[in-house]
C-alpha cells in the first residue's frame, strides 16, 4: 500500500521506482505460494496489450525485480525469484512481513475476538489493519488483476473500520467509535452495516437522537439513490433504539488496560504499534 518498498533488516528501505517492476513484484509476492505464469505476469504488466517482443521485455522486468530483492546477506548468485516450468516462484523467508497479508490476518483475528466479546483485542487488531491500509494499492497501474486486488482491499478496509468502530463502542471510546463509523460510511454510503456502526456509536455515547437521525438519513439515501428501504437487520436496530429508554449520558470511562501480546502474532503487533491511535 502506498509506495512499494522492500526493507531488509538493518538496512534503509529500498523504493521500487519502476511502475512495471512494482506491479510485477506485487503479484509475485501475493501469489508466491503457487507461483505466477509468464503469461499472467505479462498481462498484468501490460494490461492494454502485450508488446511484440513481450517475452524478452518480461525477462527485463523480472531482472529488475530480482535486483530489488537481492540482499547483501544472501549467498553470492542466490536469488529468491526463480523460473520453473513456465512459472515464476518467489521464495521469501518465514520472517518476511507483507503489509496486505498482515492486515488480512489482523482482520481475521479481530473477527474471532469480536465473536468472543474481547473488545480490547478487536480494537487493537482492527485499528492496526486500518492503519496498514491507509495508502492506495498501485494507484498508477490499471488492469484486471490490480482492480481485483483493490476490490478485495476495499472490502477488507471496510470490515476493519466496522470492527474498529464496534469495539471502540464496546470500550466506551465514543470519539474513535464515531470516527471509524463515519469513515466507513464515507467510503461506502450504501453499506448498511457501516450505518449500523454509526447508530451503535451514537447510542453507546448516549446520543439516541443522533442514532435515530442516522437511521433516517440512511433511509433517505437508499430511497433516493436505489429505490429501496433499509434491510430487516437495520430496521430491527432502529426499533430497538425506539423501545429503549432515553439513557443518561454515561461518564467518560477510564482508559482500558494495555492488552498483553500473549497469544497474538508479534510481527503484526510490532508492525501496528506505532500506527495505532490512542484508545481513550
Amino acid at each position: 500500500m502506498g509506495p512499494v518498498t522492500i526493507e531488509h533488516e538493518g538496512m534503509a528501505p529500498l523504493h521500487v521506482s519502476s511502475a512495471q517492476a512494482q506491479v510485477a513484484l506485487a503479484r509475485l509476492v501475493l501469489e508466491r505460494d503457487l507461483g505466477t505464469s509468464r503469461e499472467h505476469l505479462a498481462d498484468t504488466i501490460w494490461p492494454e496489450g502485450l508488446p511484440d517482443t513481450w517475452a524478452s521485455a518480461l525477462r527485463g522486468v523480472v531482472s529488475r525485480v530480482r535486483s530489488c530483492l537481492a540482499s547483501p546477506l544472501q549467498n553470492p548468485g542466490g536469488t529468491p525469484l526463480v523460473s520453473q516450468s513456465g512459472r515464476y516462484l518467489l521464495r521469501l523467508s518465514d520472517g518476511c512481513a507483507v503489509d496486505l497479508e498482515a492486515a488480512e490476518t489482523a482482520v481475521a483475528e479481530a473477527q474471532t475476538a469480536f465473536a468472543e466479546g474481547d473488545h480490547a483485542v478487536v480494537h487493537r487488531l482492527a485499528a492496526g489493519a486500518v492503519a496498514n491500509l491507509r495508502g492506495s494499492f498501485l494507484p498508477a497501474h490499471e488492469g484486471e488483476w490490480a482492480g481485483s486486488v483493490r476490490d478485495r482491499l476495499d472490502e477488507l478496509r471496510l470490515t476493519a473500520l466496522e470492527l474498529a468502530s464496534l469495539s471502540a463502542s464496546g470500550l466506551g471510546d465514543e470519539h474513535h467509535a464515531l470516527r471509524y463509523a463515519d469513515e466507513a460510511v464515507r467510503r461506502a454510503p450504501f453499506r448498511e452495516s457501516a450505518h449500523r456502526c454509526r447508530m451503535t456509536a451514537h447510542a453507546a455515547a448516549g446520543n439516541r437522537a443522533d442514532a435515530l437521525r442516522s437511521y433516517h438519513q440512511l433511509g433517505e439515501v437508499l430511497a433516493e439513490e436505489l429505490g429501496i428501504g433499509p434491510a430487516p437487520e437495520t430496521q430491527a436496530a432502529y426499533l430497538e433504539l425506539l423501545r429503549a429508554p432515553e439513557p443518561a449520558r454515561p461518564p467518560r470511562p477510564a482508559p482500558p488496560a494495555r492488552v498483553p501480546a500473549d497469544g497474538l502474532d508479534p510481527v503484526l503487533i510490532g508492525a501496528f504499534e506505532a500506527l495505532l491511535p490512542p484508545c481513550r
Side-chain angles (χ1 to χ4, degrees):
M1 302 296 288
V4 179
T5 62
I6 301 173
E7 300 181 18
H8 295 291
E9 187 174 2
M11 299 173 60
L14 169 66
H15 295 269
V16 182
S17 57
S18 164
Q20 293 179 344
Q22 286 178 6
V23 70
L25 174 62
R27 182 156 190 173
L28 289 166
V29 167
L30 295 179
E31 296 182 351
R32 64 186 181 277
D33 289 341
L34 299 176
T36 307
S37 72
R38 295 168 66 251
E39 292 77 9
H40 286 165
L41 189 58
D43 286 337
T44 301
I45 298 170
W46 297 286
E48 297 181 355
L50 300 182
D52 293 338
T53 56
W54 69 268
S56 60
L58 178 62
R59 287 194 291 272
V61 174
V62 170
S63 178
R64 288 198 294 273
V65 172
R66 282 198 179 101
S67 298
C68 294
L69 291 168
S71 166
L73 305 178
Q74 71 186 28
N75 296 328
T79 175
L81 178 58
V82 298
S83 178
Q84 187 176 90
S85 303
R87 303 181 74 80
Y88 287 106
L89 301 173
L90 182 57
R91 296 165 178 165
L92 300 180
S93 66
D94 293 339
C96 178
V98 181
D99 55 356
L100 304 189
E101 295 173 351
E104 287 178 326
T105 300
V107 170
E109 293 186 5
Q111 289 173 318
T112 299
F114 186 78
E116 297 170 352
D118 196 337
H119 294 299
V121 172
V122 175
H123 187 78
R124 192 178 188 188
L125 290 169
V130 170
N132 245 22
L133 296 170
R134 282 296 179 200
S136 300
F137 179 74
L138 300 176
H141 197 86
E142 298 301 326
E144 183 178 350
W145 180 80
S148 68
V149 175
R150 288 191 195 106
D151 290 343
R152 190 178 94 210
L153 295 178
D154 286 345
E155 176 63 28
L156 184 70
R157 184 188 291 108
L158 288 168
T159 301
L161 286 167
E162 291 174 353
L163 286 168
S165 175
L166 292 171
S167 60
S169 292
L171 293 170
D173 182 357
E174 59 193 63
H175 170 75
H176 284 105
L178 190 57
R179 171 190 154 195
Y180 286 122
D182 283 344
E183 182 176 348
V185 169
R186 285 195 304 272
R187 289 181 177 275
F190 304 135
R191 186 180 174 101
E192 293 193 40
S193 55
H195 287 270
R196 289 196 296 271
C197 287
R198 178 187 273 177
M199 293 165 62
T200 298
H202 282 307
N207 302 324
R208 187 174 68 166
D210 288 333
L212 295 172
R213 189 176 299 112
S214 295
Y215 172 83
H216 291 301
Q217 290 172 346
L218 168 62
E220 292 173 1
V221 169
L222 293 177
E224 292 176 3
E225 300 296 333
L226 303 179
I228 61 175
E233 186 175 356
T234 308
Q235 295 179 31
Y238 172 69
L239 293 175
E240 185 176 347
L241 285 170
L242 289 177
R243 297 189 187 104
E246 183 69 39
R249 188 173 181 83
R252 183 177 296 279
R258 182 178 178 83
V259 181
D262 295 345
L264 298 178
D265 187 331
V267 175
L268 296 182
I269 296 305
F272 294 151
E273 195 78 11
L275 300 174
L276 292 179
C279 187
R280 299 187 300 176

